[in-house]
Amino acid sequence: MNFHGGDIYSCQGEVLDFSSNINPLGVPESFRMALCEKITDFTRYPDIQYRALRAELAEYLGFDDPELVIPGNGAVEIIYKTILALESARMINLSPTFSEYARAARQNGVEVIDLNIYDASFTDLDFSLLFAALIPNSLVVLCNPNNPTGTFVEREKMCFLARELAQKDCFLLIDEAFIEFTDHYPENSMIGELGHYPNVILIRAATKFFGMPGIRLGFGVSKNKQLIRGIREHLEPWNVNAAAVLAGCTVYRDQEYITASRAWVKEEREFLFHQLSKIDGLTVYPSKANYHLAKISRGKMDAWALKNRLLEKGVLIRTPDGFNYLSAYHFRLAVKDRPSNQRLVEVLREVLSCHG
Amino acid sequence: MNFHGGDIYSCQGEVLDFSSNINPLGVPESFRMALCEKITDFTRYPDIQYRALRAELAEYLGFDDPELVIPGNGAVEIIYKTILALESARMINLSPTFSEYARAARQNGVEVIDLNIYDASFTDLDFSLLFAALIPNSLVVLCNPNNPTGTFVEREKMCFLARELAQKDCFLLIDEAFIEFTDHYPENSMIGELGHYPNVILIRAATKFFGMPGIRLGFGVSKNKQLIRGIREHLEPWNVNAAAVLAGCTVYRDQEYITASRAWVKEEREFLFHQLSKIDGLTVYPSKANYHLAKISRGKMDAWALKNRLLEKGVLIRTPDGFNYLSAYHFRLAVKDRPSNQRLVEVLREVLSCHG
């Protein structure tokens, strides 16, 4: 069963894919050029210690210790191995969120408590509900900004959470896979705070912001040496392939791509939000990321029916499958380029008004 | 600690790398072209079910059920997950061999019995010694042709082994990572026998034969549906990246590369064996693959000392680290192109005669 976006492999014909929330600018040209030039990199095993890649990532993050940056075959691999290494008594999953956290915990025999501590508009989280569910050695997972709600926890509030969890002998995994899309990046990242919170691991990825989920490059960063060593022991050798190494050593220094992407996504997110807000029968939630959660607020059509109606018009949306605490009327929309966004608004208006 | 060949990242300057036993022809041109053309493949998540890739691999293998072909992030990933899925009582490792089998078992809490059932010249295996070590639900691992010895178990003898193991409720993992380099491929592969032996899984990889260890593409094949399902459950999603998918969908149909590689490796293996055999103070073992195990047979210099002496001359060999039952005087040499092979013979002769 596929509970993820982007399953265009199951669709027929040309489709505007709003189900996969990745950078609309696509693969950076710098990477395309590097890949064609450095094809010979494939004739070698990757450096089993990934020295150059770790140094590059640390440099990008402004993080002082490359030894404590650990690259993975996508962020998902590091999330799985973190759970293996921590041997937590319990995972507290803050739903609705990315389904792989809970799947990873369950696969490794860790009990999952799935809490919805969001307010009705998904703009804030009530941590007191979370604290009540903690036992010592719990692992709390927080996607920031959160997928699919677009909610963002500011740095000060995140520090408060990390501090409280430390006092309760609990660990915090923060998935910042989408953070480069937020307006106040990099100041809002927890990267600069890691020294104060050895009970925190940060997860990042090239997947979303650099428009290349196909590359499978993610990494973990923590000041907790024991944890990083534990993750490393669970990783299989050469887990990151030469294409992903090359991507990591190229795109993070592509300042032009980074600047252009941030400007573009900000503008298009605001455009899309504004346009979607005007559609009758639709609620759209504010988001700090490159996607919007939305809800069919009138009529009987649910998200799956809407998906089918939109697919007839060549538009694919993300139904709520796999997201706990979303209703059958919620769905997620990626922010894409202007013509695509306009087309989306048009067909949504058409389908929802026909129905209403 | 790195117990693998190809660690050129720790070397200074230009080096002729005989430590890594991959195809000297390098990355197929067909893949280089596909990669430059299909860069947009990276803008999508790989098909989470890898349908096209599995179909392509099944076609290449002449295997009738793509559902039972399971691709991995390198063969190593499938080996690890097979061990996880089988929950064997014991692994019987036939050393000297690739060190990852035993590492994978130990990492998953499976006891490893490490047997040397080879004769002195590494041309044959005495299975009676293996049978004595079996308990029900044992997993036997056999690399065929074997790394680093180059020994090959013919199909008939392998079927006998599989049959005996089935009777004893034991499982057989056959790693055919190097089989395309052997003279009688594809007739000598166990692929055509899988229907008779549901207690067998075959592991293959693009790594060695297609000269691209950087790509990380391996796969498992078995007629055991329960096992394949078990492996799949342990795999993280999107474990094979877009570059590896593209490689798999390109190189296995590159008949020109396949034919040229096989002809070249056969010729150069014979040339190298012949030349090495003539060096005083050196024993070289016959091999069916694209590498030769060798041994310093006179004098006090061990393989590490030899490695250092050769590195001064710009040649890197594979010392016996991580290979059980090899002596301190054994080392492995890849078969490379003619000028490289000639240079190797020259410097080996020089260093060994100086020493003697």
Side-chain angles (χ1 to χ4, degrees):
Chain A
M1 193 84 83
N2 176 27
F3 281 157
H4 293 286
D7 187 23
I8 48 165
Y9 300 92
S10 298
C11 300
Q12 305 288 322
E14 277 292 304
V15 163
L16 268 182
D17 181 14
F18 283 88
S19 77
S20 182
N21 45 4
I22 63 151
N23 190 331
L25 281 182
V27 175
E29 176 63 16
S30 55
F31 173 55
R32 198 190 62 75
M33 284 171 60
L35 198 57
C36 296
E37 272 167 31
K38 301 241 185 152
I39 192 85
T40 51
D41 283 11
F42 287 101
T43 62
R44 301 169 174 187
Y45 277 86
D47 175 11
I48 203 163
Q49 297 182 50
Y50 294 105
R51 283 164 279 208
L53 176 60
R54 285 192 283 102
E56 186 80 23
L57 297 173
E59 169 81 23
Y60 168 71
L61 297 167
F63 187 73
D64 58 1
D65 195 345
E67 289 287 328
L68 299 177
V69 176
I70 187 151
N73 183 29
V76 164
E77 183 174 53
I78 301 299
I79 292 166
Y80 273 68
K81 302 309 184 198
T82 299
I83 287 164
L84 262 177
L86 281 175
E87 299 183 355
S88 303
R90 171 179 285 187
M91 175 196 274
I92 315 288
N93 198 41
L94 302 177
S95 281
T97 196
F98 185 48
S99 59
E100 287 297 326
Y101 312 133
R103 181 174 180 267
R106 291 198 183 98
Q107 198 179 84
N108 293 300
V110 177
E111 177 199 31
V112 178
I113 307 288
D114 206 34
L115 297 180
N116 178 3
I117 64 170
Y118 287 93
D119 61 318
S121 62
F122 297 112
T123 46
D124 202 9
L125 298 93
D126 181 353
F127 287 148
S128 66
L129 299 171
L130 158 64
F131 297 146
L134 294 176
I135 56 174
N137 195 24
S138 293
L139 165 64
V140 175
V141 177
L142 185 49
C143 183
N144 201 38
N146 187 45
N147 173 14
T149 61
T151 322
F152 191 79
V153 177
E154 296 297 340
R155 183 161 159 171
E156 202 174 323
K157 184 165 177 172
M158 194 66 97
C159 288
F160 162 74
L161 175 60
R163 214 161 33 234
E164 291 291 312
L165 291 178
Q167 278 175 15
K168 294 169 164 66
D169 289 323
C170 292
F171 209 93
L172 178 60
L173 181 153
I174 306 170
D175 183 352
E176 292 189 345
F178 295 94
I179 199 165
E180 283 102 335
F181 290 115
T182 64
D183 289 351
H184 303 294
Y185 181 80
E187 291 74 23
N188 59 359
S189 166
M190 280 293 279
I191 191 80
E193 301 287 349
L194 291 179
H196 300 121
Y197 306 107
N199 65 323
V200 172
I201 184 167
L202 221 62
I203 305 287
R204 299 286 283 269
T207 305
K208 308 294 185 176
F209 185 72
F210 292 99
M212 39 187 188
I215 201 67
R216 316 305 305 133
L217 176 65
F219 51 99
V221 197
S222 174
K223 281 284 188 178
N224 191 318
K225 286 183 190 172
Q226 198 188 338
L227 172 62
I228 296 294
R229 195 165 46 236
I231 296 173
R232 190 169 297 133
E233 277 164 16
H234 283 99
L235 285 172
E236 290 143 25
W238 312 293
N239 60 316
V240 180
N241 83 359
V245 169
L246 198 56
C249 292
T250 307
V251 300
Y252 285 107
R253 55 174 69 183
D254 189 340
Q255 205 51 57
E256 204 178 323
Y257 181 92
I258 294 171
T259 307
S261 299
R262 285 170 49 74
W264 191 3
V265 166
K266 181 179 164 62
E267 188 174 335
E268 290 304 316
R269 175 178 59 226
E270 287 167 5
F271 169 80
L272 193 58
F273 183 76
H274 186 68
Q275 295 297 314
L276 293 172
S277 301
K278 293 193 290 187
I279 298 178
D280 258 3
L282 188 74
T283 302
V284 57
Y285 301 90
S287 166
K288 308 288 187 188
N290 62 322
Y291 45 84
H292 280 296
L293 184 67
K295 190 183 175 187
I296 306 154
S297 51
R298 218 185 44 222
K300 283 180 198 145
M301 179 165 55
D302 66 16
W304 293 275
L306 178 64
K307 175 189 170 182
N308 291 336
R309 293 291 304 280
L310 292 174
L311 252 187
E312 289 165 15
K313 296 172 186 296
V315 165
L316 181 64
I317 62 169
R318 176 68 167 85
T319 50
D321 311 72
F323 288 123
N324 285 352
Y325 301 115
L326 285 189
S327 76
Y329 303 93
H330 283 99
F331 59 99
R332 194 190 65 198
L333 298 168
V335 173
K336 294 176 74 79
D337 58 283
R338 181 61 58 97
S340 301
N341 293 338
Q342 277 171 329
R343 173 78 186 141
L344 169 69
V345 169
E346 196 179 294
V347 296
L348 261 176
R349 186 177 290 128
E350 207 175 303
V351 168
L352 289 171
S353 72
C354 281
H355 184 77
Chain B
M1 192 84 81
N2 175 27
F3 282 154
H4 293 287
D7 188 22
I8 49 165
Y9 299 92
S10 298
C11 300
Q12 305 289 320
E14 277 293 307
V15 163
L16 269 183
D17 182 13
F18 283 89
S19 78
S20 182
N21 44 3
I22 64 151
N23 189 331
L25 281 181
V27 175
E29 176 64 15
S30 56
F31 174 55
R32 198 190 64 74
M33 284 171 59
L35 199 57
C36 296
E37 270 167 31
K38 301 239 184 153
I39 192 82
T40 51
D41 282 10
F42 288 101
T43 63
R44 302 169 173 187
Y45 278 84
D47 175 11
I48 204 162
Q49 296 181 52
Y50 295 105
R51 283 164 279 208
L53 176 59
R54 283 190 286 102
E56 184 80 23
L57 297 174
E59 168 81 23
Y60 168 70
L61 297 168
F63 186 73
D64 57 1
D65 195 345
E67 289 287 328
L68 299 177
V69 176
I70 187 152
N73 183 29
V76 164
E77 183 174 53
I78 300 300
I79 292 166
Y80 272 69
K81 303 308 185 199
T82 299
I83 287 164
L84 262 176
L86 281 176
E87 299 183 356
S88 304
R90 171 181 284 185
M91 175 195 276
I92 315 286
N93 199 41
L94 302 178
S95 281
T97 195
F98 186 46
S99 59
E100 287 298 324
Y101 311 133
R103 182 174 180 265
R106 292 200 182 96
Q107 198 179 85
N108 292 302
V110 177
E111 178 200 29
V112 178
I113 307 287
D114 205 33
L115 297 181
N116 179 3
I117 63 171
Y118 286 94
D119 62 319
S121 61
F122 297 112
T123 44
D124 201 10
L125 298 93
D126 181 353
F127 287 149
S128 66
L129 298 171
L130 157 64
F131 296 147
L134 294 176
I135 56 174
N137 195 26
S138 293
L139 165 64
V140 175
V141 178
L142 184 49
C143 183
N144 201 40
N146 187 45
N147 173 15
T149 60
T151 321
F152 191 78
V153 177
E154 297 297 340
R155 185 161 158 171
E156 201 175 323
K157 184 165 175 170
M158 193 67 97
C159 287
F160 163 75
L161 176 61
R163 212 157 39 231
E164 291 290 313
L165 292 178
Q167 277 174 16
K168 294 170 163 65
D169 289 323
C170 293
F171 209 93
L172 177 61
L173 181 154
I174 306 170
D175 183 352
E176 291 189 347
F178 295 94
I179 199 164
E180 284 101 335
F181 290 116
T182 63
D183 289 350
H184 303 293
Y185 181 80
E187 290 74 23
N188 58 1
S189 166
M190 279 293 279
I191 192 78
E193 301 287 350
L194 291 179
H196 301 120
Y197 306 107
N199 66 322
V200 172
I201 184 168
L202 221 60
I203 305 288
R204 300 284 284 267
T207 306
K208 308 294 186 176
F209 185 72
F210 292 98
M212 40 187 188
I215 201 69
R216 317 304 305 130
L217 176 65
F219 51 99
V221 197
S222 173
K223 282 284 187 176
N224 190 318
K225 286 183 188 173
Q226 196 187 342
L227 171 63
I228 296 295
R229 194 164 47 237
I231 296 173
R232 191 170 294 132
E233 276 165 17
H234 283 99
L235 286 172
E236 290 141 25
W238 311 295
N239 60 316
V240 179
N241 84 359
V245 171
L246 197 56
C249 292
T250 308
V251 300
Y252 285 107
R253 55 174 70 183
D254 189 342
Q255 205 50 55
E256 202 178 327
Y257 180 92
I258 293 172
T259 307
S261 298
R262 286 171 47 77
W264 192 4
V265 165
K266 181 179 165 61
E267 186 175 337
E268 289 304 317
R269 176 178 59 226
E270 288 167 5
F271 169 79
L272 194 58
F273 183 75
H274 186 68
Q275 294 296 313
L276 292 172
S277 301
K278 292 193 291 185
I279 298 179
D280 258 3
L282 188 74
T283 302
V284 56
Y285 301 90
S287 165
K288 307 288 186 188
N290 64 323
Y291 45 82
H292 280 295
L293 185 66
K295 188 183 176 189
I296 306 155
S297 52
R298 216 184 47 218
K300 283 181 198 144
M301 180 164 55
D302 67 15
W304 293 275
L306 177 65
K307 174 189 172 184
N308 290 336
R309 293 290 303 280
L310 292 174
L311 253 186
E312 288 165 16
K313 297 173 187 296
V315 165
L316 181 64
I317 61 168
R318 175 68 166 86
T319 51
D321 311 74
F323 288 123
N324 285 351
Y325 300 113
L326 285 190
S327 76
Y329 302 93
H330 283 99
F331 59 99
R332 193 191 64 200
L333 298 167
V335 172
K336 293 176 74 79
D337 59 283
R338 181 61 58 95
S340 301
N341 293 338
Q342 277 171 328
R343 173 77 187 141
L344 169 68
V345 169
E346 195 179 295
V347 296
L348 261 176
R349 186 176 289 129
E350 206 177 302
V351 167
L352 289 171
S353 72
C354 279
H355 183 76

